[in-house]
């Protein structure tokens, strides 16, 4: 029996596709087991790991930029609130001084009235 008859029999049985797939698998397996194949697989794994780390770094940088922006906005709001509080405090102090002055004037007027009516 020659190879042509075997090939015709395999084709007729539909087994040629399986034989080709087996040969491809065997060849790929031998390549993976070779030192070059091991090194290639290691490099592929390293490339994948570096890609994951790069994506994580990019995401962290984006989060960091977003958080810095939020912090700057919060600081600006806080500074505006502090300025408002300072203005309100100054206004209250001025009003207190004005009330104290008016009270002293009234007390002085009362003392003057007591002196005149005494």
């Amino acid at each position: 029996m020659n190879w042509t008859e075997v090939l015709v029999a395999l084709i007729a049985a539909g087994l040629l596709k399986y034989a080709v797939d087996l040969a491809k698998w065997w060849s790929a397996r031998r390549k993976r087991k070779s030192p070059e194949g091991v090194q290639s697989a290691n490099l592929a794994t390293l490339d994948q790991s570096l890609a994951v780390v790069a994506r994580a770094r990019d995401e962290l940088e984006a989060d960091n930029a977003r958080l810095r922006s939020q912090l700057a906005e919060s600081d600006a709001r806080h500074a505006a609130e502090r300025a408002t509080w300072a203005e309100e405090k100054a206004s209250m102090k001025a009003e207190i001084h004005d009330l104290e002055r008016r009270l002293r004037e009234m007390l002085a007027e009362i003392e003057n009235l007591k002196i005149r009516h005494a």
Side-chain angles (χ1 to χ4, degrees):
M1 190 173 196
N2 63 24
W3 284 104
T4 309
E5 293 172 355
V6 171
L7 192 59
V8 170
L10 289 174
I11 291 172
L15 297 177
L16 182 63
K17 179 185 181 320
Y18 298 113
V20 169
D21 288 344
L22 178 64
K24 286 180 183 177
W25 172 80
W26 186 259
S27 174
R29 182 175 180 268
R30 273 197 337 225
K31 283 182 182 177
R32 281 194 311 264
K33 298 285 183 178
S34 71
E36 295 84 15
V38 170
Q39 184 178 7
S40 176
N42 288 343
L43 289 176
T45 301
L46 179 63
D47 286 345
Q48 289 174 346
S49 298
L50 289 174
V52 167
V53 169
R55 273 195 309 273
R57 182 201 62 224
D58 293 343
E59 290 173 6
L60 287 173
E61 286 176 354
D63 286 346
N64 192 18
R66 180 182 51 81
L67 290 173
R68 285 184 189 275
S69 172
Q70 288 177 350
L71 186 59
E73 290 172 7
S74 176
D75 287 348
R77 278 193 307 272
H78 183 67
E81 288 174 357
R82 288 192 64 158
T84 302
W85 295 336
E87 290 172 5
E88 290 174 354
K89 186 176 179 180
S91 174
M92 284 188 242
K93 281 187 176 183
E95 188 175 348
I96 289 170
H97 288 300
D98 185 49
L99 289 173
E100 286 175 343
R101 180 189 52 77
R102 288 176 49 201
L103 181 60
R104 278 192 293 278
E105 288 173 357
M106 291 170 130
L107 288 174
E109 192 176 322
I110 291 172
E111 285 298 320
N112 286 338
L113 287 174
K114 279 186 188 177
I115 293 172
R116 278 191 232 154
H117 293 308

